[in-house]
Amino acid sequence: MWRSVFVLLTAGVLAFAVSGAASGATAAPGFTGGGPWYNTGGKSLTLADLRGKVVAVDMWTAGCINCLDILPYVKQWYAKYRDHGFVVVGVHTPELQSEHSLAYVQDAVTRLGVAFPVVVDNDYRIWHAYSNEYWPTVYLIDKQGHLRYSHIGEGDYGTTEQMIQRLLAEPS
């Protein structure tokens, strides 16, 4: 029974993801209230800066095993599609008190080989703007700045990559 419920929920998410822009998808929240930024030369990014690109927002924390399990896929997508208009923004929102340290985040970004932009969200402002509840969650934003897809947790990597490809193929 639970598998059937999961399949129905997944189908509903995919239906939303595929039809997002045509059905009036909501404008994606930005990154207001976060900082500092890593891998941007210290510059804060905004969704306006990224207009015309497909953006993956990866809600993660370096102490979360599930976040670390999806990281190789996120890094792979970034490497594979960044020259095609794809950007990943990692939103590091701490789960534990020790993860609030900027030195901890900087060390994690370096140690884990994270090359995409990462913003520190110690006050949960970005987390709340996205109404996020779980680590990890990946959101995909289309070229017009609309939230078109989200996936909670591990798995469904092929589906997420197909959505990245679909959004990259859409006109700007």
Side-chain angles (χ1 to χ4, degrees):
M1 177 178 128
W2 286 110
R3 183 181 171 116
S4 298
V5 170
F6 177 75
V7 169
L8 288 173
L9 288 173
T10 302
V13 169
L14 289 177
F16 166 75
V18 171
S19 64
S23 65
T26 59
F31 309 114
T32 303
W37 285 80
Y38 297 100
N39 299 329
T40 64
K43 179 183 186 257
S44 298
L45 297 181
T46 67
L47 284 182
D49 296 332
L50 302 174
R51 185 64 45 102
K53 297 183 182 297
V54 173
V55 180
V57 177
D58 178 22
M59 297 284 187
W60 73 296
T61 187
C64 164
I65 189 65
N66 303 99
C67 298
L68 298 178
D69 285 348
I70 76 160
L71 187 58
Y73 296 92
V74 176
K75 289 167 51 176
Q76 181 182 50
W77 296 328
Y78 180 65
K80 187 173 182 179
Y81 298 110
R82 71 177 169 218
D83 292 338
H84 303 283
F86 180 68
V87 176
V88 174
V89 174
V91 177
H92 187 276
T93 309
E95 184 175 15
L96 306 172
Q97 187 59 40
S98 62
E99 296 172 329
H100 285 260
S101 162
L102 298 182
Y104 173 87
V105 178
Q106 176 63 64
D107 176 67
V109 167
T110 302
R111 178 176 36 83
L112 298 170
V114 175
F116 51 80
V118 173
V119 60
V120 176
D121 188 30
N122 280 347
D123 295 327
Y124 286 66
R125 290 184 181 145
I126 301 168
W127 176 279
H128 291 305
Y130 278 81
S131 298
N132 197 60
E133 295 184 38
Y134 306 101
W135 292 274
T137 300
V138 174
Y139 297 92
L140 294 180
I141 301 168
D142 69 17
K143 295 173 185 177
Q144 288 75 38
H146 297 106
L147 187 58
R148 295 281 296 278
Y149 174 89
S150 66
H151 181 75
I152 298 168
E154 297 182 53
D156 267 345
Y157 303 114
T159 302
T160 302
E161 185 167 7
Q162 287 174 353
M163 192 62 188
I164 292 167
Q165 293 169 348
R166 171 176 262 145
L167 293 175
L168 285 171
E170 290 180 355
S172 293

